Amino acid sequence: MFSARRLIALLIAAVLSGSVVADYSTDQVEMAANGRFDLLESAVEEYARSHPLTTRDQHTLCYAYSKTKRYARLLTCLDQLEAKVRSGDRRTRLFGLSDATPSVYVMRADALIDLGRYPEAIDQATKAVNWLKEDDSVDVDLLFNALAALSLARTLGGDDAGGWEAEKELRTFRPGLFSDYVNAQAYALARARMGLKDYRGVIEAIQGDTSFAVRIFLDRLVSGSFLTGINNWAWAELPRAFMLSKALLESGQVSEAKEGFGRLLGIRQVEQNGEIYWLLLADRGRIAENEGQLEEALTYYRRAVDIVETQRASINTEASKIGFVADKQTLYSRVVDLAQRLNRPLLAFEYMERSKSRALIDLLASRADTQPLAARDNNTQQLLDQFRKAEESAGIQLPLNMASVEGTNSRFLVSAQARELQAKDPALASLVTVTGLAADKMRRHIRPDEVLLEYFGSGENLYGLAVNNTDSVVLRLDARQVEADTRAFRALIEGQSPRTRQLASGLYQHLIKPFETVIGGHNLLLVPHGTLHYLPFAALIDGTGSALITRRSLRFLPSTSVQEYLRPQRKLPLENILILGNPALDDQQYDLPAAEREARLLAGLLPRSEILIRQGASESAFKKLAGRFTYLHIASHGEFNADGALDSRLLLARDDQNDGSLTVREIYDLRLNAALVTLSACETGLGKAMSGDDLVGLARGFLYAGSNNIVASLWAVSDEETALLMKGFYSRLKIGIPKKEALRQAQLELQKAYPHPFFWAAFYLTGDGI
């Protein structure tokens, strides 16, 4: 928030003036001035055990938390500090502020930017700017930081115009001749412009600061003169060094950028700032790739991925503070692309899976504030708590011993805790950490009669991978054409247009035919990506003019790695089934009389079943009873939400205990023992595709909850045809036909009476298929 020199001057002045009490004497001044924020927070916490904290104390503690990135403690601390200020106790000890209010706003804004909560950050930064403008004794340093935070929060939140507006105000402010103010303004401008991708402006801001000699700064990096004692260099100075090299690269000054990145990567302690370190590695890999050094580039990218995977999900720390929140998924795409170009399909396979895993973890982290994942037993919960504690500790920015070549062990501890959790509960581990299964281990889950077809994309890139027990190939596909054709195909099907065959054949040519030499006559295990989650693969037309399921059975998975935690393959008789049909949803337009008839038809077909209709088909009843049944059939509305996958839901009857909306968030907390969950009346819309594990919908939730298979639909099918399909499906299950084959046969039977794919191609099976 303030320059180091000004901090030292203000603290010494405070001590000399007697405003610092004995408990915070010269040793605490030295802690803050030297960046020993860990010691500073410990000192205040110790003092708080026996003394009530004043605003002076509370502000010091919050400032220490803001520097060590202890977010949970910081936000609570700031709430307490704000309450003290409102009570009339306003002065701070650090920086000698007459009123701590704007400091509260700025610290909170910076933390919220790190956490990706941009609207809240904008609100706090705006309050800080307005307060400081209205105050006669405006603190210039604090105003610069507030404007930089406002610009960043607006830009990162998607409002570039608002970001430029704050940058303009920051640029036109005249701080006078005080070098500390000039330095602070230059750094704030560089941060704002980095967020706005004004890279020449970044260079201009940094190099235009007469109090900051760029060449001397870089020379000090090379000489190692920064690397003395225990200090905060890796957090305080490294971001500026990265900004300069990054801006040089983006401005076309590649040789200068390469030199800067090389110097930084040569310093062992740089590794401890993971959020900057992975960016350095990624950009250095990019330079190597552009120079045609593909193996070297691959090494850089893979090292960057390793760093990313040990970091806490959904937190960007120092990278966001300098306005550069890079897409971590792009890293995986670069590795997959190079693996494809270097003809290393199994390497591409591993990183496709790791990408999907990381995307799922980031997504599930968004539920942590309100509904953190819980383990299924006390011992595993202890392991989960230990992992979370290690992960949090690894994210804390403690000053480093710059004279030591030994790194801290925090990142290694995270990896060790992750391995222990993986050994105990692979399913739970897959939701909180990237475990990175080796290709050979994943390959063992591909059955002798199957070939895996996995798709992966990032931006405008799309790749397809085919793997069997002896061979593998990865190819780059036409992403734009596949995207356009998939959307057009879905539209034609849902409109029951007779003109579907041409697109069905074209999509087969794009997605299946390039891999026919590996596929041979085998069945398919499909792992879609992006828009392909919404594609009815069963309806694609092969080279013989027949639908894909005519000669092959299909099963789907959200990722190949999930097979690691599916229970051992088993064939259970069709009995002990819970059927829910046409829940009472308090809205006539949601009534599904055909779903009720379907439920009653199945109950008649399956005597050992329990059926719940209308008000009885409630969320509360389902949560209470579902764990007791081997088969679950739900004939109700379902909504897959591509914009918020954890809010995908089943609509059931509500009561005084539950609201009737069974969301994916809640499904992850269920404990099932099911061989099959059938979602008969559900549908997905062809909305925006998400990154990585794109459609983390109801199917993925039920797999984790304990079901080996889920049958769901891609669109709402006519009532009569759905009932016929379900009758054919369950009749075959009843005589012992495996689930994926039973679904295939039921679809082919329905196709004879209703040839258009609208009537039979919507349903698909996710899971082991047995």
Side-chain angles (χ1 to χ4, degrees):
M1 192 183 303
F2 291 84
S3 67
R5 278 186 296 176
R6 187 166 182 235
L7 174 61
I8 295 170
L10 286 170
L11 288 173
I12 292 175
V15 172
L16 294 176
S17 67
S19 64
V20 179
V21 296
D23 298 281
Y24 297 95
S25 55
T26 308
D27 54 343
Q28 274 85 39
V29 174
E30 188 175 349
M31 291 175 201
N34 290 331
R36 293 308 308 268
F37 303 115
D38 54 332
L39 299 182
L40 186 62
E41 69 181 35
S42 296
V44 183
E45 287 173 343
E46 177 64 29
Y47 179 79
R49 292 187 181 96
S50 55
H51 300 80
L53 297 185
T54 65
T55 292
R56 291 171 171 81
D57 307 319
Q58 193 79 35
H59 179 266
T60 301
L61 183 60
C62 294
Y63 184 72
Y65 287 155
S66 73
K67 290 299 184 180
T68 57
K69 313 298 178 189
R70 297 187 194 271
Y71 294 103
R73 295 186 194 180
L74 171 62
L75 294 176
T76 300
C77 183
L78 289 172
D79 290 343
Q80 295 168 345
L81 174 57
E82 195 166 23
K84 292 181 187 297
V85 171
R86 287 174 178 168
S87 71
D89 182 11
R90 294 186 174 87
R91 294 196 65 86
T92 73
R93 176 170 298 112
L94 298 186
F95 318 114
L97 301 176
S98 59
D99 192 322
T101 301
S103 179
V104 171
Y105 294 148
V106 172
M107 283 191 280
R108 193 180 280 136
D110 280 343
L112 292 168
I113 290 172
D114 279 3
L115 295 167
R117 292 158 58 178
Y118 303 125
E120 296 169 79
I122 291 170
D123 175 68
Q124 293 297 306
T126 301
K127 287 179 178 178
V129 170
N130 291 340
W131 193 100
L132 287 163
K133 285 181 180 178
E134 293 169 4
D135 185 55
D136 292 335
S137 58
V138 60
D139 189 293
V140 179
D141 268 358
L142 204 53
L143 179 59
F144 289 155
N145 281 278
L147 285 168
L150 180 58
S151 178
L152 285 173
R154 286 174 173 174
T155 303
L156 297 176
D159 179 13
D160 282 5
W164 279 113
E165 181 183 345
E167 186 273 345
K168 180 180 179 181
E169 187 170 359
L170 179 58
R171 171 172 26 100
T172 55
F173 195 93
R174 294 288 178 260
L177 300 177
F178 296 100
S179 61
D180 274 342
Y181 288 150
V182 172
N183 180 278
Q185 184 184 34
Y187 189 50
L189 273 172
R191 291 170 57 203
R193 290 170 180 174
M194 180 67 79
L196 291 160
K197 296 182 172 56
D198 175 18
Y199 297 114
R200 293 191 181 279
V202 172
I203 297 171
E204 176 186 306
I206 294 177
Q207 294 184 340
D209 176 10
T210 56
S211 68
F212 175 73
V214 175
R215 185 159 297 283
I216 293 174
F217 175 65
L218 293 176
D219 286 345
R220 290 176 70 191
L221 291 181
V222 176
S223 68
S225 59
F226 273 133
L227 311 183
T228 56
I230 299 176
N231 60 56
N232 212 41
W233 175 83
W235 320 112
E237 297 295 342
L238 177 58
R240 189 194 323 236
F242 166 74
M243 277 198 294
L244 180 59
S245 295
K246 174 69 177 177
L248 289 168
L249 176 61
E250 300 297 341
S251 300
Q253 302 176 59
V254 179
S255 59
E256 294 90 338
K258 182 177 179 181
E259 180 184 8
F261 289 138
R263 288 171 165 178
L264 291 171
L265 291 171
I267 301 171
R268 178 70 176 85
Q269 290 82 356
V270 168
E271 294 183 26
Q272 303 310 311
N273 192 328
E275 273 293 339
I276 300 296
Y277 185 52
W278 83 262
L279 292 170
L280 290 169
L281 290 167
D283 277 332
R284 185 62 187 84
R286 183 175 148 205
I287 292 172
E289 184 177 357
N290 290 339
E291 292 176 340
Q293 305 297 320
L294 301 190
E295 288 287 358
E296 181 183 4
L298 185 61
T299 299
Y300 280 119
Y301 290 144
R302 293 178 69 182
R303 285 172 62 192
V305 169
D306 289 342
I307 298 299
V308 162
E309 291 180 350
T310 61
Q311 294 174 2
R312 294 174 66 189
S314 302
I315 291 181
N316 292 296
T317 62
E318 288 304 305
S320 61
K321 286 290 178 47
I322 58 173
F324 192 78
V325 180
D327 180 9
K328 294 173 183 177
Q329 286 295 326
T330 302
L331 270 181
Y332 296 92
S333 181
R334 297 314 312 145
V335 174
V336 170
D337 183 69
L338 288 179
Q340 186 266 324
R341 291 160 66 184
L342 293 167
N343 194 28
R344 296 171 66 180
L346 294 184
L347 180 65
F349 185 20
E350 291 180 12
Y351 279 84
M352 286 179 177
E353 285 289 309
R354 288 169 71 169
S355 173
K356 293 174 187 289
S357 177
R358 176 73 204 204
L360 174 63
I361 291 162
D362 285 344
L363 177 68
L364 292 178
S366 67
R367 66 171 254 167
D369 291 340
T370 56
Q371 190 183 5
L373 286 166
R376 304 184 186 211
D377 59 70
N378 290 334
N379 290 336
T380 309
Q381 185 64 47
Q382 280 187 332
L383 290 177
L384 178 60
D385 291 342
Q386 289 169 5
F387 169 77
R388 285 173 171 158
K389 185 176 180 180
E391 194 178 38
E392 182 180 11
S393 296
I396 293 171
Q397 297 189 355
L398 301 179
L400 303 175
N401 185 349
M402 306 307 291
S404 171
V405 296
E406 297 296 327
T408 64
N409 64 358
S410 59
R411 200 172 293 141
F412 302 108
L413 181 59
V414 172
S415 298
Q417 294 288 351
R419 287 193 296 271
E420 193 170 354
L421 185 61
Q422 163 74 9
K424 175 70 174 177
D425 190 337
L428 180 60
S430 73
L431 304 183
V432 296
T433 180
V434 181
T435 49
L437 295 180
D440 287 345
K441 192 168 186 179
M442 290 187 289
R443 209 173 193 172
R444 288 201 296 269
H445 292 293
I446 303 172
R447 296 170 195 154
D449 67 336
E450 284 182 332
V451 169
L452 167 69
L453 269 184
E454 180 160 344
Y455 300 94
F456 171 78
S458 177
E460 295 184 355
N461 299 318
L462 178 66
Y463 304 89
L465 170 83
V467 181
N468 61 26
N469 288 323
T470 59
D471 198 8
S472 59
V473 63
V474 60
L475 300 172
R476 188 167 184 167
L477 306 177
D478 189 339
R480 288 186 178 181
Q481 192 66 54
V482 167
E483 168 91 9
D485 286 357
T486 298
R487 291 182 178 274
F489 187 44
R490 275 291 301 261
L492 290 175
I493 286 180
E494 292 187 48
Q496 299 183 40
S497 168
R499 299 179 293 106
T500 60
R501 288 188 64 85
Q502 184 177 353
L503 279 174
S505 178
L507 283 164
Y508 181 92
Q509 297 297 313
H510 283 299
L511 297 170
I512 310 294
K513 185 175 177 58
F515 307 100
E516 282 183 339
T517 56
V518 177
I519 295 172
H522 293 81
N523 298 316
L524 295 179
L525 167 58
L526 291 153
V527 179
H529 189 95
T531 308
L532 296 181
H533 279 293
Y534 302 94
L535 176 67
F537 279 86
L540 300 188
I541 303 296
D542 65 19
T544 69
S546 303
L548 186 59
I549 60 165
T550 303
R551 294 174 177 80
R552 308 177 195 277
S553 64
L554 312 178
R555 69 180 176 108
F556 293 78
L557 288 172
S559 71
T560 307
S561 301
V562 301
Q563 295 179 111
E564 187 72 8
Y565 66 74
L566 291 180
R567 288 166 304 170
Q569 300 162 10
R570 56 185 184 158
K571 240 176 122 174
L572 297 173
L574 183 59
E575 56 186 30
N576 190 27
I577 179 169
L578 176 66
I579 303 171
L580 282 76
N582 193 22
L585 301 178
D586 302 325
D587 190 332
Q588 190 171 359
Q589 68 173 329
Y590 287 122
D591 282 355
L592 295 170
E596 185 172 336
R597 290 194 297 271
E598 174 190 316
R600 295 189 186 280
L601 181 151
L602 293 178
L605 180 66
L606 309 167
R608 297 187 61 184
S609 61
E610 181 170 341
I611 182 170
L612 303 175
I613 300 295
R614 303 300 287 158
Q615 194 58 46
S618 68
E619 180 184 359
S620 298
F622 181 78
K623 287 180 175 178
K624 179 180 178 181
L625 298 174
R628 305 176 191 174
F629 288 84
T630 308
Y631 290 83
L632 302 170
H633 183 96
I634 306 170
S636 175
H637 285 287
E639 298 175 355
F640 285 64
N641 189 333
D643 291 318
L646 295 182
D647 295 319
S648 295
R649 60 181 183 157
L650 294 174
L651 300 181
L652 302 174
R654 63 186 174 94
D655 54 26
D656 56 358
Q657 296 178 342
N658 288 281
D659 63 4
S661 179
L662 182 64
T663 66
V664 172
R665 297 172 191 272
E666 295 173 294
I667 291 171
Y668 273 99
D669 293 321
L670 295 177
R671 300 293 180 263
L672 303 180
N673 186 34
L676 172 68
V677 174
T678 302
L679 308 175
S680 176
C682 298
E683 60 179 294
T684 64
L686 185 53
K688 292 187 295 184
M690 299 165 62
S691 62
D693 203 39
D694 305 88
L695 189 59
V696 189
L698 300 179
R700 177 72 195 235
F702 276 116
L703 281 178
Y704 175 73
S707 176
N708 275 45
N709 294 280
I710 300 91
V711 168
S713 63
L714 293 169
W715 57 83
V717 181
S718 301
D719 297 337
E720 180 182 349
E721 291 76 24
T722 298
L724 288 173
L725 180 70
M726 288 300 157
K727 181 179 179 181
F729 176 50
Y730 280 101
S731 296
R732 288 168 172 81
L733 291 180
K734 192 174 181 180
I735 61 175
I737 295 176
K739 297 173 184 63
K740 67 174 182 177
E741 181 60 20
L743 180 62
R744 185 181 82 93
Q745 291 183 18
Q747 288 176 304
L748 290 173
E749 181 181 44
L750 189 62
Q751 184 189 33
K752 293 176 183 177
Y754 299 92
H756 197 281
F758 172 81
F759 298 103
W760 56 266
F763 286 93
Y764 65 102
L765 181 144
T766 301
D768 64 27
I770 294 176

